[in-house]
Amino acid sequence: MKNYELLLREHNLKVTPQRIGILSVLGDMGHVSIEELFTIIRKDFYSISIATLYKNISFMMEVNLLKEVKVPNGKSKYEILKDEHSHMICKKCEKLEDVKVCLDSIVKNISEKSGYMFDDNSLVLSGICPTCQKGTV
Ligand SMILES: [Zn+2]
Ligand SMILES: [Zn+2]
């Protein structure tokens, strides 16, 4: 169990039970969409609104505590910012996973060749995960 209170303090954010709640859900689940987060967080904070939740997420993104992962054709997910990594998503079960490979140099290469400027969230590899390939889901 991580010390989320300390994490908030380190980022100069006010420590509130809701923020600690949000961080512990993200810490346990890895990547969570606003809707998923809302469903879970409401069990503990039944009076919280989705607007309040979103505001808290925005504050924590501003100070680089959270990061948005833009899922192609899907809802954005949020995660606690950690070491550089890329993402892959399964088109069948929609599971989003980290891949501990930094694709920055590849993106940079594409950018140099094409003249495009990419934002750092733009790369999510999509495919079929090993479980779905076996057809057991
Ligand atoms: Zn899958
Ligand atoms: Zn991730």
PDB file of all heavy atoms in Angstrom, residues 43-79:
ATOM      1  N   LYS A  43     -19.002   4.178  -4.014  1.00  0.00           N
ATOM      2  CA  LYS A  43     -19.266   3.261  -2.905  1.00  0.00           C
ATOM      3  C   LYS A  43     -18.774   3.840  -1.593  1.00  0.00           C
ATOM      4  O   LYS A  43     -19.340   3.609  -0.537  1.00  0.00           O
ATOM      5  CB  LYS A  43     -18.598   1.905  -3.171  1.00  0.00           C
ATOM      6  CG  LYS A  43     -19.299   1.137  -4.273  1.00  0.00           C
ATOM      7  CD  LYS A  43     -18.552  -0.150  -4.598  1.00  0.00           C
ATOM      8  CE  LYS A  43     -19.134  -0.765  -5.863  1.00  0.00           C
ATOM      9  NZ  LYS A  43     -18.166  -1.632  -6.530  1.00  0.00           N
ATOM     10  N   ASP A  44     -17.666   4.580  -1.660  1.00  0.00           N
ATOM     11  CA  ASP A  44     -17.116   5.200  -0.454  1.00  0.00           C
ATOM     12  C   ASP A  44     -17.560   6.647  -0.275  1.00  0.00           C
ATOM     13  O   ASP A  44     -17.688   7.135   0.834  1.00  0.00           O
ATOM     14  CB  ASP A  44     -15.581   5.163  -0.490  1.00  0.00           C
ATOM     15  CG  ASP A  44     -15.056   3.751  -0.305  1.00  0.00           C
ATOM     16  OD1 ASP A  44     -15.670   2.997   0.467  1.00  0.00           O
ATOM     17  OD2 ASP A  44     -14.055   3.415  -0.950  1.00  0.00           O
ATOM     18  N   PHE A  45     -17.731   7.338  -1.369  1.00  0.00           N
ATOM     19  CA  PHE A  45     -18.117   8.760  -1.316  1.00  0.00           C
ATOM     20  C   PHE A  45     -19.397   8.936  -2.128  1.00  0.00           C
ATOM     21  O   PHE A  45     -19.366   9.379  -3.266  1.00  0.00           O
ATOM     22  CB  PHE A  45     -17.005   9.637  -1.896  1.00  0.00           C
ATOM     23  CG  PHE A  45     -15.668   9.424  -1.249  1.00  0.00           C
ATOM     24  CD1 PHE A  45     -14.729   8.592  -1.833  1.00  0.00           C
ATOM     25  CD2 PHE A  45     -15.343  10.058  -0.062  1.00  0.00           C
ATOM     26  CE1 PHE A  45     -13.490   8.384  -1.235  1.00  0.00           C
ATOM     27  CE2 PHE A  45     -14.106   9.860   0.537  1.00  0.00           C
ATOM     28  CZ  PHE A  45     -13.180   9.018  -0.050  1.00  0.00           C
ATOM     29  N   TYR A  46     -20.513   8.541  -1.522  1.00  0.00           N
ATOM     30  CA  TYR A  46     -21.751   8.479  -2.305  1.00  0.00           C
ATOM     31  C   TYR A  46     -22.267   9.833  -2.753  1.00  0.00           C
ATOM     32  O   TYR A  46     -23.092   9.925  -3.630  1.00  0.00           O
ATOM     33  CB  TYR A  46     -22.840   7.705  -1.551  1.00  0.00           C
ATOM     34  CG  TYR A  46     -23.059   8.191  -0.147  1.00  0.00           C
ATOM     35  CD1 TYR A  46     -23.908   9.243   0.132  1.00  0.00           C
ATOM     36  CD2 TYR A  46     -22.382   7.569   0.909  1.00  0.00           C
ATOM     37  CE1 TYR A  46     -24.073   9.688   1.435  1.00  0.00           C
ATOM     38  CE2 TYR A  46     -22.543   8.013   2.209  1.00  0.00           C
ATOM     39  CZ  TYR A  46     -23.388   9.074   2.466  1.00  0.00           C
ATOM     40  OH  TYR A  46     -23.539   9.520   3.741  1.00  0.00           O
ATOM     41  N   SER A  47     -21.743  10.913  -2.131  1.00  0.00           N
ATOM     42  CA  SER A  47     -22.245  12.237  -2.521  1.00  0.00           C
ATOM     43  C   SER A  47     -21.412  12.889  -3.622  1.00  0.00           C
ATOM     44  O   SER A  47     -21.734  13.961  -4.106  1.00  0.00           O
ATOM     45  CB  SER A  47     -22.286  13.159  -1.300  1.00  0.00           C
ATOM     46  OG  SER A  47     -20.980  13.322  -0.816  1.00  0.00           O
ATOM     47  N   ILE A  48     -20.330  12.219  -4.026  1.00  0.00           N
ATOM     48  CA  ILE A  48     -19.442  12.822  -5.034  1.00  0.00           C
ATOM     49  C   ILE A  48     -20.161  12.873  -6.399  1.00  0.00           C
ATOM     50  O   ILE A  48     -20.906  11.963  -6.754  1.00  0.00           O
ATOM     51  CB  ILE A  48     -18.094  12.040  -5.140  1.00  0.00           C
ATOM     52  CG1 ILE A  48     -17.031  12.868  -5.867  1.00  0.00           C
ATOM     53  CG2 ILE A  48     -18.276  10.680  -5.793  1.00  0.00           C
ATOM     54  CD1 ILE A  48     -15.628  12.272  -5.808  1.00  0.00           C
ATOM     55  N   SER A  49     -19.951  13.968  -7.120  1.00  0.00           N
ATOM     56  CA  SER A  49     -20.522  14.067  -8.465  1.00  0.00           C
ATOM     57  C   SER A  49     -19.424  13.795  -9.485  1.00  0.00           C
ATOM     58  O   SER A  49     -18.233  13.907  -9.168  1.00  0.00           O
ATOM     59  CB  SER A  49     -21.104  15.456  -8.694  1.00  0.00           C
ATOM     60  OG  SER A  49     -20.057  16.395  -8.793  1.00  0.00           O
ATOM     61  N   ILE A  50     -19.845  13.467 -10.679  1.00  0.00           N
ATOM     62  CA  ILE A  50     -18.849  13.178 -11.719  1.00  0.00           C
ATOM     63  C   ILE A  50     -18.050  14.446 -12.046  1.00  0.00           C
ATOM     64  O   ILE A  50     -16.869  14.384 -12.378  1.00  0.00           O
ATOM     65  CB  ILE A  50     -19.500  12.522 -12.967  1.00  0.00           C
ATOM     66  CG1 ILE A  50     -18.428  11.812 -13.811  1.00  0.00           C
ATOM     67  CG2 ILE A  50     -20.309  13.528 -13.787  1.00  0.00           C
ATOM     68  CD1 ILE A  50     -18.918  10.576 -14.525  1.00  0.00           C
ATOM     69  N   ALA A  51     -18.669  15.613 -11.893  1.00  0.00           N
ATOM     70  CA  ALA A  51     -17.968  16.886 -12.132  1.00  0.00           C
ATOM     71  C   ALA A  51     -16.851  17.092 -11.114  1.00  0.00           C
ATOM     72  O   ALA A  51     -15.741  17.505 -11.465  1.00  0.00           O
ATOM     73  CB  ALA A  51     -18.950  18.046 -12.087  1.00  0.00           C
ATOM     74  N   THR A  52     -17.143  16.801  -9.855  1.00  0.00           N
ATOM     75  CA  THR A  52     -16.128  16.909  -8.796  1.00  0.00           C
ATOM     76  C   THR A  52     -14.988  15.932  -9.060  1.00  0.00           C
ATOM     77  O   THR A  52     -13.809  16.267  -8.924  1.00  0.00           O
ATOM     78  CB  THR A  52     -16.745  16.591  -7.417  1.00  0.00           C
ATOM     79  OG1 THR A  52     -17.881  17.418  -7.239  1.00  0.00           O
ATOM     80  CG2 THR A  52     -15.751  16.818  -6.304  1.00  0.00           C
ATOM     81  N   LEU A  53     -15.367  14.746  -9.447  1.00  0.00           N
ATOM     82  CA  LEU A  53     -14.376  13.724  -9.743  1.00  0.00           C
ATOM     83  C   LEU A  53     -13.462  14.189 -10.874  1.00  0.00           C
ATOM     84  O   LEU A  53     -12.239  14.113 -10.787  1.00  0.00           O
ATOM     85  CB  LEU A  53     -15.098  12.430 -10.138  1.00  0.00           C
ATOM     86  CG  LEU A  53     -14.228  11.201 -10.373  1.00  0.00           C
ATOM     87  CD1 LEU A  53     -13.455  10.832  -9.130  1.00  0.00           C
ATOM     88  CD2 LEU A  53     -15.088  10.024 -10.817  1.00  0.00           C
ATOM     89  N   TYR A  54     -14.089  14.722 -11.901  1.00  0.00           N
ATOM     90  CA  TYR A  54     -13.331  15.185 -13.053  1.00  0.00           C
ATOM     91  C   TYR A  54     -12.399  16.337 -12.689  1.00  0.00           C
ATOM     92  O   TYR A  54     -11.262  16.404 -13.151  1.00  0.00           O
ATOM     93  CB  TYR A  54     -14.281  15.596 -14.186  1.00  0.00           C
ATOM     94  CG  TYR A  54     -13.570  15.607 -15.506  1.00  0.00           C
ATOM     95  CD1 TYR A  54     -13.347  14.406 -16.190  1.00  0.00           C
ATOM     96  CD2 TYR A  54     -13.072  16.786 -16.048  1.00  0.00           C
ATOM     97  CE1 TYR A  54     -12.647  14.402 -17.380  1.00  0.00           C
ATOM     98  CE2 TYR A  54     -12.372  16.778 -17.244  1.00  0.00           C
ATOM     99  CZ  TYR A  54     -12.162  15.588 -17.899  1.00  0.00           C
ATOM    100  OH  TYR A  54     -11.462  15.573 -19.069  1.00  0.00           O
ATOM    101  N   LYS A  55     -12.885  17.212 -11.823  1.00  0.00           N
ATOM    102  CA  LYS A  55     -12.084  18.353 -11.382  1.00  0.00           C
ATOM    103  C   LYS A  55     -10.840  17.873 -10.631  1.00  0.00           C
ATOM    104  O   LYS A  55      -9.739  18.370 -10.839  1.00  0.00           O
ATOM    105  CB  LYS A  55     -12.942  19.245 -10.467  1.00  0.00           C
ATOM    106  CG  LYS A  55     -12.675  20.725 -10.674  1.00  0.00           C
ATOM    107  CD  LYS A  55     -13.524  21.574  -9.753  1.00  0.00           C
ATOM    108  CE  LYS A  55     -14.956  21.734 -10.269  1.00  0.00           C
ATOM    109  NZ  LYS A  55     -15.831  22.386  -9.262  1.00  0.00           N
ATOM    110  N   ASN A  56     -11.046  16.899  -9.764  1.00  0.00           N
ATOM    111  CA  ASN A  56      -9.921  16.329  -9.023  1.00  0.00           C
ATOM    112  C   ASN A  56      -8.898  15.678  -9.935  1.00  0.00           C
ATOM    113  O   ASN A  56      -7.696  15.822  -9.747  1.00  0.00           O
ATOM    114  CB  ASN A  56     -10.432  15.302  -8.001  1.00  0.00           C
ATOM    115  CG  ASN A  56     -10.836  15.955  -6.706  1.00  0.00           C
ATOM    116  OD1 ASN A  56     -10.053  16.667  -6.084  1.00  0.00           O
ATOM    117  ND2 ASN A  56     -12.064  15.744  -6.296  1.00  0.00           N
ATOM    118  N   ILE A  57      -9.406  14.963 -10.922  1.00  0.00           N
ATOM    119  CA  ILE A  57      -8.520  14.322 -11.905  1.00  0.00           C
ATOM    120  C   ILE A  57      -7.708  15.401 -12.640  1.00  0.00           C
ATOM    121  O   ILE A  57      -6.506  15.263 -12.825  1.00  0.00           O
ATOM    122  CB  ILE A  57      -9.352  13.512 -12.928  1.00  0.00           C
ATOM    123  CG1 ILE A  57     -10.116  12.385 -12.243  1.00  0.00           C
ATOM    124  CG2 ILE A  57      -8.483  13.009 -14.075  1.00  0.00           C
ATOM    125  CD1 ILE A  57      -9.416  11.070 -12.162  1.00  0.00           C
ATOM    126  N   SER A  58      -8.387  16.489 -13.039  1.00  0.00           N
ATOM    127  CA  SER A  58      -7.701  17.563 -13.761  1.00  0.00           C
ATOM    128  C   SER A  58      -6.600  18.200 -12.926  1.00  0.00           C
ATOM    129  O   SER A  58      -5.500  18.438 -13.418  1.00  0.00           O
ATOM    130  CB  SER A  58      -8.684  18.664 -14.166  1.00  0.00           C
ATOM    131  OG  SER A  58      -9.690  18.115 -14.948  1.00  0.00           O
ATOM    132  N   PHE A  59      -6.908  18.451 -11.653  1.00  0.00           N
ATOM    133  CA  PHE A  59      -5.889  19.008 -10.751  1.00  0.00           C
ATOM    134  C   PHE A  59      -4.668  18.103 -10.700  1.00  0.00           C
ATOM    135  O   PHE A  59      -3.532  18.556 -10.791  1.00  0.00           O
ATOM    136  CB  PHE A  59      -6.438  19.113  -9.319  1.00  0.00           C
ATOM    137  CG  PHE A  59      -7.243  20.361  -9.080  1.00  0.00           C
ATOM    138  CD1 PHE A  59      -8.426  20.300  -8.345  1.00  0.00           C
ATOM    139  CD2 PHE A  59      -6.822  21.595  -9.554  1.00  0.00           C
ATOM    140  CE1 PHE A  59      -9.178  21.440  -8.103  1.00  0.00           C
ATOM    141  CE2 PHE A  59      -7.569  22.735  -9.322  1.00  0.00           C
ATOM    142  CZ  PHE A  59      -8.747  22.651  -8.594  1.00  0.00           C
ATOM    143  N   MET A  60      -4.919  16.820 -10.573  1.00  0.00           N
ATOM    144  CA  MET A  60      -3.818  15.880 -10.421  1.00  0.00           C
ATOM    145  C   MET A  60      -3.049  15.678 -11.730  1.00  0.00           C
ATOM    146  O   MET A  60      -1.874  15.352 -11.706  1.00  0.00           O
ATOM    147  CB  MET A  60      -4.336  14.557  -9.845  1.00  0.00           C
ATOM    148  CG  MET A  60      -4.787  14.706  -8.403  1.00  0.00           C
ATOM    149  SD  MET A  60      -5.011  13.147  -7.534  1.00  0.00           S
ATOM    150  CE  MET A  60      -6.743  12.842  -7.851  1.00  0.00           C
ATOM    151  N   MET A  61      -3.727  15.934 -12.848  1.00  0.00           N
ATOM    152  CA  MET A  61      -3.010  15.865 -14.131  1.00  0.00           C
ATOM    153  C   MET A  61      -2.131  17.095 -14.329  1.00  0.00           C
ATOM    154  O   MET A  61      -1.042  17.007 -14.876  1.00  0.00           O
ATOM    155  CB  MET A  61      -3.998  15.752 -15.287  1.00  0.00           C
ATOM    156  CG  MET A  61      -4.576  14.368 -15.416  1.00  0.00           C
ATOM    157  SD  MET A  61      -5.031  13.976 -17.102  1.00  0.00           S
ATOM    158  CE  MET A  61      -6.249  15.209 -17.420  1.00  0.00           C
ATOM    159  N   GLU A  62      -2.642  18.240 -13.875  1.00  0.00           N
ATOM    160  CA  GLU A  62      -1.892  19.483 -14.020  1.00  0.00           C
ATOM    161  C   GLU A  62      -0.531  19.426 -13.341  1.00  0.00           C
ATOM    162  O   GLU A  62       0.432  20.003 -13.814  1.00  0.00           O
ATOM    163  CB  GLU A  62      -2.680  20.646 -13.389  1.00  0.00           C
ATOM    164  CG  GLU A  62      -3.456  21.465 -14.402  1.00  0.00           C
ATOM    165  CD  GLU A  62      -4.408  22.431 -13.718  1.00  0.00           C
ATOM    166  OE1 GLU A  62      -3.983  23.085 -12.746  1.00  0.00           O
ATOM    167  OE2 GLU A  62      -5.567  22.494 -14.153  1.00  0.00           O
ATOM    168  N   VAL A  63      -0.462  18.736 -12.213  1.00  0.00           N
ATOM    169  CA  VAL A  63       0.806  18.653 -11.484  1.00  0.00           C
ATOM    170  C   VAL A  63       1.581  17.378 -11.831  1.00  0.00           C
ATOM    171  O   VAL A  63       2.513  16.991 -11.126  1.00  0.00           O
ATOM    172  CB  VAL A  63       0.589  18.741  -9.953  1.00  0.00           C
ATOM    173  CG1 VAL A  63       0.027  20.094  -9.568  1.00  0.00           C
ATOM    174  CG2 VAL A  63      -0.320  17.621  -9.451  1.00  0.00           C
ATOM    175  N   ASN A  64       1.157  16.731 -12.926  1.00  0.00           N
ATOM    176  CA  ASN A  64       1.836  15.517 -13.382  1.00  0.00           C
ATOM    177  C   ASN A  64       1.828  14.370 -12.382  1.00  0.00           C
ATOM    178  O   ASN A  64       2.793  13.629 -12.255  1.00  0.00           O
ATOM    179  CB  ASN A  64       3.289  15.813 -13.774  1.00  0.00           C
ATOM    180  CG  ASN A  64       3.364  16.542 -15.092  1.00  0.00           C
ATOM    181  OD1 ASN A  64       2.572  16.270 -15.998  1.00  0.00           O
ATOM    182  ND2 ASN A  64       4.286  17.466 -15.204  1.00  0.00           N
ATOM    183  N   LEU A  65       0.724  14.261 -11.687  1.00  0.00           N
ATOM    184  CA  LEU A  65       0.572  13.122 -10.789  1.00  0.00           C
ATOM    185  C   LEU A  65      -0.193  12.019 -11.518  1.00  0.00           C
ATOM    186  O   LEU A  65       0.100  10.840 -11.371  1.00  0.00           O
ATOM    187  CB  LEU A  65      -0.176  13.577  -9.522  1.00  0.00           C
ATOM    188  CG  LEU A  65      -0.557  12.550  -8.477  1.00  0.00           C
ATOM    189  CD1 LEU A  65       0.615  11.687  -8.076  1.00  0.00           C
ATOM    190  CD2 LEU A  65      -1.113  13.251  -7.245  1.00  0.00           C
ATOM    191  N   LEU A  66      -1.141  12.442 -12.340  1.00  0.00           N
ATOM    192  CA  LEU A  66      -1.889  11.490 -13.160  1.00  0.00           C
ATOM    193  C   LEU A  66      -1.628  11.765 -14.629  1.00  0.00           C
ATOM    194  O   LEU A  66      -1.262  12.865 -15.009  1.00  0.00           O
ATOM    195  CB  LEU A  66      -3.398  11.618 -12.916  1.00  0.00           C
ATOM    196  CG  LEU A  66      -3.927  11.320 -11.523  1.00  0.00           C
ATOM    197  CD1 LEU A  66      -5.432  11.364 -11.533  1.00  0.00           C
ATOM    198  CD2 LEU A  66      -3.439   9.983 -11.015  1.00  0.00           C
ATOM    199  N   LYS A  67      -1.867  10.743 -15.408  1.00  0.00           N
ATOM    200  CA  LYS A  67      -1.685  10.869 -16.834  1.00  0.00           C
ATOM    201  C   LYS A  67      -2.914  10.299 -17.547  1.00  0.00           C
ATOM    202  O   LYS A  67      -3.480   9.303 -17.115  1.00  0.00           O
ATOM    203  CB  LYS A  67      -0.438  10.087 -17.235  1.00  0.00           C
ATOM    204  CG  LYS A  67      -0.034  10.268 -18.666  1.00  0.00           C
ATOM    205  CD  LYS A  67       1.201   9.424 -18.955  1.00  0.00           C
ATOM    206  CE  LYS A  67       1.131   9.143 -20.406  1.00  0.00           C
ATOM    207  NZ  LYS A  67       2.066   9.117 -21.273  1.00  0.00           N
ATOM    208  N   GLU A  68      -3.312  10.963 -18.617  1.00  0.00           N
ATOM    209  CA  GLU A  68      -4.418  10.466 -19.415  1.00  0.00           C
ATOM    210  C   GLU A  68      -3.883   9.554 -20.507  1.00  0.00           C
ATOM    211  O   GLU A  68      -2.898   9.882 -21.153  1.00  0.00           O
ATOM    212  CB  GLU A  68      -5.157  11.664 -20.032  1.00  0.00           C
ATOM    213  CG  GLU A  68      -6.347  11.260 -20.867  1.00  0.00           C
ATOM    214  CD  GLU A  68      -7.052  12.468 -21.501  1.00  0.00           C
ATOM    215  OE1 GLU A  68      -6.560  13.607 -21.345  1.00  0.00           O
ATOM    216  OE2 GLU A  68      -8.087  12.253 -22.138  1.00  0.00           O
ATOM    217  N   VAL A  69      -4.510   8.423 -20.674  1.00  0.00           N
ATOM    218  CA  VAL A  69      -4.159   7.542 -21.779  1.00  0.00           C
ATOM    219  C   VAL A  69      -5.314   7.580 -22.767  1.00  0.00           C
ATOM    220  O   VAL A  69      -6.430   7.182 -22.445  1.00  0.00           O
ATOM    221  CB  VAL A  69      -3.938   6.084 -21.300  1.00  0.00           C
ATOM    222  CG1 VAL A  69      -3.510   5.199 -22.463  1.00  0.00           C
ATOM    223  CG2 VAL A  69      -2.905   6.027 -20.184  1.00  0.00           C
ATOM    224  N   LYS A  70      -5.040   8.124 -23.931  1.00  0.00           N
ATOM    225  CA  LYS A  70      -6.103   8.239 -24.932  1.00  0.00           C
ATOM    226  C   LYS A  70      -6.250   6.928 -25.679  1.00  0.00           C
ATOM    227  O   LYS A  70      -5.361   6.515 -26.407  1.00  0.00           O
ATOM    228  CB  LYS A  70      -5.795   9.386 -25.898  1.00  0.00           C
ATOM    229  CG  LYS A  70      -5.832  10.734 -25.210  1.00  0.00           C
ATOM    230  CD  LYS A  70      -6.005  11.868 -26.226  1.00  0.00           C
ATOM    231  CE  LYS A  70      -6.136  13.212 -25.529  1.00  0.00           C
ATOM    232  NZ  LYS A  70      -4.842  13.893 -25.345  1.00  0.00           N
ATOM    233  N   VAL A  71      -7.351   6.289 -25.473  1.00  0.00           N
ATOM    234  CA  VAL A  71      -7.601   4.992 -26.085  1.00  0.00           C
ATOM    235  C   VAL A  71      -8.255   5.200 -27.451  1.00  0.00           C
ATOM    236  O   VAL A  71      -9.252   5.902 -27.548  1.00  0.00           O
ATOM    237  CB  VAL A  71      -8.542   4.162 -25.176  1.00  0.00           C
ATOM    238  CG1 VAL A  71      -8.861   2.824 -25.816  1.00  0.00           C
ATOM    239  CG2 VAL A  71      -7.919   3.965 -23.800  1.00  0.00           C
ATOM    240  N   PRO A  72      -7.676   4.629 -28.513  1.00  0.00           N
ATOM    241  CA  PRO A  72      -8.276   4.815 -29.837  1.00  0.00           C
ATOM    242  C   PRO A  72      -9.694   4.243 -29.868  1.00  0.00           C
ATOM    243  O   PRO A  72      -9.913   3.130 -29.412  1.00  0.00           O
ATOM    244  CB  PRO A  72      -7.360   4.009 -30.768  1.00  0.00           C
ATOM    245  CG  PRO A  72      -6.184   3.614 -29.968  1.00  0.00           C
ATOM    246  CD  PRO A  72      -6.529   3.733 -28.519  1.00  0.00           C
ATOM    247  N   ASN A  73     -10.643   5.020 -30.354  1.00  0.00           N
ATOM    248  CA  ASN A  73     -12.050   4.618 -30.446  1.00  0.00           C
ATOM    249  C   ASN A  73     -12.660   4.239 -29.099  1.00  0.00           C
ATOM    250  O   ASN A  73     -13.634   3.499 -29.039  1.00  0.00           O
ATOM    251  CB  ASN A  73     -12.249   3.427 -31.394  1.00  0.00           C
ATOM    252  CG  ASN A  73     -11.592   3.660 -32.729  1.00  0.00           C
ATOM    253  OD1 ASN A  73     -11.689   4.757 -33.293  1.00  0.00           O
ATOM    254  ND2 ASN A  73     -10.881   2.670 -33.226  1.00  0.00           N
ATOM    255  N   GLY A  74     -12.063   4.701 -28.024  1.00  0.00           N
ATOM    256  CA  GLY A  74     -12.623   4.339 -26.722  1.00  0.00           C
ATOM    257  C   GLY A  74     -12.526   5.493 -25.758  1.00  0.00           C
ATOM    258  O   GLY A  74     -12.126   6.598 -26.129  1.00  0.00           O
ATOM    259  N   LYS A  75     -12.904   5.241 -24.530  1.00  0.00           N
ATOM    260  CA  LYS A  75     -12.861   6.282 -23.517  1.00  0.00           C
ATOM    261  C   LYS A  75     -11.458   6.412 -22.950  1.00  0.00           C
ATOM    262  O   LYS A  75     -10.754   5.418 -22.780  1.00  0.00           O
ATOM    263  CB  LYS A  75     -13.833   5.921 -22.393  1.00  0.00           C
ATOM    264  CG  LYS A  75     -15.275   5.906 -22.882  1.00  0.00           C
ATOM    265  CD  LYS A  75     -16.213   6.305 -21.760  1.00  0.00           C
ATOM    266  CE  LYS A  75     -17.603   6.577 -22.306  1.00  0.00           C
ATOM    267  NZ  LYS A  75     -18.353   5.317 -22.563  1.00  0.00           N
ATOM    268  N   SER A  76     -11.061   7.648 -22.666  1.00  0.00           N
ATOM    269  CA  SER A  76      -9.758   7.870 -22.056  1.00  0.00           C
ATOM    270  C   SER A  76      -9.673   7.177 -20.707  1.00  0.00           C
ATOM    271  O   SER A  76     -10.651   7.082 -19.990  1.00  0.00           O
ATOM    272  CB  SER A  76      -9.541   9.362 -21.819  1.00  0.00           C
ATOM    273  OG  SER A  76      -9.206   9.997 -23.016  1.00  0.00           O
ATOM    274  N   LYS A  77      -8.477   6.705 -20.415  1.00  0.00           N
ATOM    275  CA  LYS A  77      -8.240   6.108 -19.103  1.00  0.00           C
ATOM    276  C   LYS A  77      -7.185   6.939 -18.391  1.00  0.00           C
ATOM    277  O   LYS A  77      -6.411   7.644 -19.021  1.00  0.00           O
ATOM    278  CB  LYS A  77      -7.764   4.669 -19.259  1.00  0.00           C
ATOM    279  CG  LYS A  77      -8.723   3.823 -20.064  1.00  0.00           C
ATOM    280  CD  LYS A  77      -8.934   2.496 -19.419  1.00  0.00           C
ATOM    281  CE  LYS A  77      -9.918   1.666 -20.224  1.00  0.00           C
ATOM    282  NZ  LYS A  77     -10.547   0.641 -19.430  1.00  0.00           N
ATOM    283  N   TYR A  78      -7.181   6.815 -17.086  1.00  0.00           N
ATOM    284  CA  TYR A  78      -6.241   7.578 -16.283  1.00  0.00           C
ATOM    285  C   TYR A  78      -5.372   6.631 -15.488  1.00  0.00           C
ATOM    286  O   TYR A  78      -5.816   5.571 -15.069  1.00  0.00           O
ATOM    287  CB  TYR A  78      -6.996   8.540 -15.370  1.00  0.00           C
ATOM    288  CG  TYR A  78      -7.796   9.523 -16.181  1.00  0.00           C
ATOM    289  CD1 TYR A  78      -9.088   9.214 -16.585  1.00  0.00           C
ATOM    290  CD2 TYR A  78      -7.223  10.710 -16.627  1.00  0.00           C
ATOM    291  CE1 TYR A  78      -9.805  10.081 -17.396  1.00  0.00           C
ATOM    292  CE2 TYR A  78      -7.935  11.584 -17.432  1.00  0.00           C
ATOM    293  CZ  TYR A  78      -9.226  11.265 -17.815  1.00  0.00           C
ATOM    294  OH  TYR A  78      -9.927  12.103 -18.630  1.00  0.00           O
ATOM    295  N   GLU A  79      -4.136   7.046 -15.284  1.00  0.00           N
ATOM    296  CA  GLU A  79      -3.219   6.236 -14.487  1.00  0.00           C
ATOM    297  C   GLU A  79      -2.311   7.147 -13.689  1.00  0.00           C
ATOM    298  O   GLU A  79      -2.165   8.331 -14.011  1.00  0.00           O
ATOM    299  CB  GLU A  79      -2.380   5.323 -15.398  1.00  0.00           C
ATOM    300  CG  GLU A  79      -1.395   6.093 -16.270  1.00  0.00           C
ATOM    301  CD  GLU A  79      -0.559   5.180 -17.173  1.00  0.00           C
ATOM    302  OE1 GLU A  79      -0.594   3.962 -17.002  1.00  0.00           O
ATOM    303  OE2 GLU A  79       0.139   5.729 -18.035  1.00  0.00           O
TER     304      GLU A  79
END
